[in-house]
Amino acid sequence: MRAGKKVVFLSLFPELLKTVCETSILKRAQEEHLLELFFIQIRDFSLDKHRTVDASPYGGGEGMLLRVDVLYRGWEAAIQILKPLTDVKPRTIYLSPQGAVLTQEKARALAEPNDEPLILVCGHYEGIDERFLELCVDEELSIGDYVLTGGELPAAVLVDALVRWIPGALGNELSAESDSLSPAQAASEGGLLKYPQYTRPPTFQDKGIPEVLLSGNHGKIEAWRKAQRLAVTQRKRPDLLKKP
Ligand SMILES: C[S@@+](CC[C@H](N)C(=O)[O-])C[C@H]1O[C@@H](n2cnc3c(N)ncnc32)[C@H](O)[C@@H]1O
């Protein structure tokens, strides 16, 4: 069984996803075998000579829907790719504005080193045939309460949020635990925002930095940061403090 979190994308625009995934930390995570990505072109599973993947909705209405038969064959191909790599049943996620909204906590849960592979299904046009949801999808996830033209950017967002939680992916210098909204920082269930941060130069346009950060006193610095987390959250996202 091969190491590393395995993710298969089912998409009409895999090139868009590849561009994002071949950059920065996502690229490094793959080079270090912490993450293994596969890209499936849905159109390859159309059986007609025009490589059609969509059709108009029964009962009328706007736009076109991705066909269940074409999607299903693509999904079966994803299962076949994963079969020799892991014994764990893949989790199929449809990126959709109708899903639960992705959170930092959810990204962490999906990254858990449990070897559960993910199949991320990217819709397009007016969406997908409902029967594909019934047959193959374990979960729908949204990246926010707005509608995009396709699921590629949401899938890239999901995998980017997830990779930060794979141990070793950020290197030693960074930790997802101390990021804004991370569950480990929770004073309430929702997590807090990060404290303000500063780097060189020490003065810019008459603006200095808080004295405490130059004090060398780690206890005082930690206390300041803790207080700032609360103050910043109160100021920018008071809703996070009100979560039950
Ligand atoms: C134009 S949307 C379809 C929206 C659908 N007609 C509806 O009203 O629910 C096309 C595709 O973009 C993706 N998408 C759009 N907004 C999204 C969001 N906020 N989060 C995740 N995926 C989204 C989904 O994969 C969807 O199938």
Side-chain angles (χ1 to χ4, degrees):
M1 299 298 108
R2 278 212 315 246
K5 188 80 179 172
K6 291 159 193 61
V7 180
V8 185
F9 298 96
L10 260 180
S11 160
L12 284 174
F13 300 96
E15 300 311 319
L16 171 56
L17 282 159
K18 283 182 194 167
T19 305
V20 177
C21 295
E22 277 161 19
T23 313
S24 185
I25 287 169
L26 281 173
K27 181 177 183 211
R28 199 173 71 192
Q30 291 172 82
E31 286 167 355
E32 292 176 5
H33 307 289
L34 300 170
L35 182 68
E36 198 171 2
L37 303 179
F38 303 89
F39 302 87
I40 290 184
Q41 167 58 267
I42 295 169
R43 208 170 282 285
D44 290 346
F45 297 89
S46 168
L47 298 182
D48 74 66
K49 68 173 192 273
H50 301 295
R51 301 181 82 213
T52 311
V53 293
D54 57 339
S56 51
Y58 283 118
E62 288 156 13
M64 304 290 272
L65 295 176
L66 277 171
R67 289 171 51 137
V68 59
D69 53 343
V70 180
L71 274 174
Y72 191 83
R73 285 191 289 272
W75 179 80
E76 283 183 319
I79 300 284
Q80 288 311 316
I81 286 175
L82 292 167
K83 213 171 208 166
L85 307 180
T86 171
D87 293 333
V88 184
K89 183 180 171 290
R91 181 171 199 78
T92 300
I93 299 176
Y94 171 45
L95 282 307
S96 156
Q98 299 182 18
V101 175
L102 177 67
T103 60
Q104 182 75 331
E105 204 163 353
K106 182 69 192 177
R108 182 172 72 168
L110 289 173
E112 294 260 293
N114 61 7
D115 207 27
E116 182 184 61
L118 301 179
I119 299 175
L120 302 184
V121 182
C122 307
H124 217 77
Y125 314 119
E126 266 306 298
I128 68 179
D129 188 305
E130 187 70 19
R131 290 168 292 180
F132 181 76
L133 290 173
E134 291 161 12
L135 289 168
C136 308
V137 172
D138 297 303
E139 183 172 19
E140 290 179 71
L141 280 179
S142 164
I143 60 157
D145 288 341
Y146 41 82
V147 177
L148 300 163
T149 49
E152 285 73 18
L153 295 176
V157 166
L158 171 53
V159 91
D160 193 290
L162 176 155
V163 78
R164 298 182 66 79
W165 287 107
I166 297 178
L170 294 182
N172 293 331
E173 74 282 11
L174 280 172
S175 158
E177 299 283 347
S178 72
D179 280 336
S180 293
L181 305 165
S182 291
Q185 298 301 328
S188 63
E189 288 294 311
L192 299 177
L193 303 184
K194 195 152 186 164
Y195 46 80
Q197 301 178 93
Y198 303 86
T199 186
R200 283 182 282 189
T203 308
F204 183 69
Q205 297 199 358
D206 292 335
K207 281 189 163 299
I209 64 172
E211 277 296 315
V212 65
L213 298 179
L214 299 172
S215 69
N217 183 328
H218 291 296
K220 278 190 179 167
I221 292 172
E222 273 320 300
W224 180 85
R225 287 179 168 166
K226 199 170 166 199
Q228 284 296 315
R229 277 188 180 279
L230 209 54
V232 168
T233 308
Q234 182 71 63
R235 195 170 76 244
K236 297 185 183 174
R237 291 285 309 273
D239 56 302
L240 293 176
L241 297 171
K242 288 185 199 119
K243 279 194 177 169

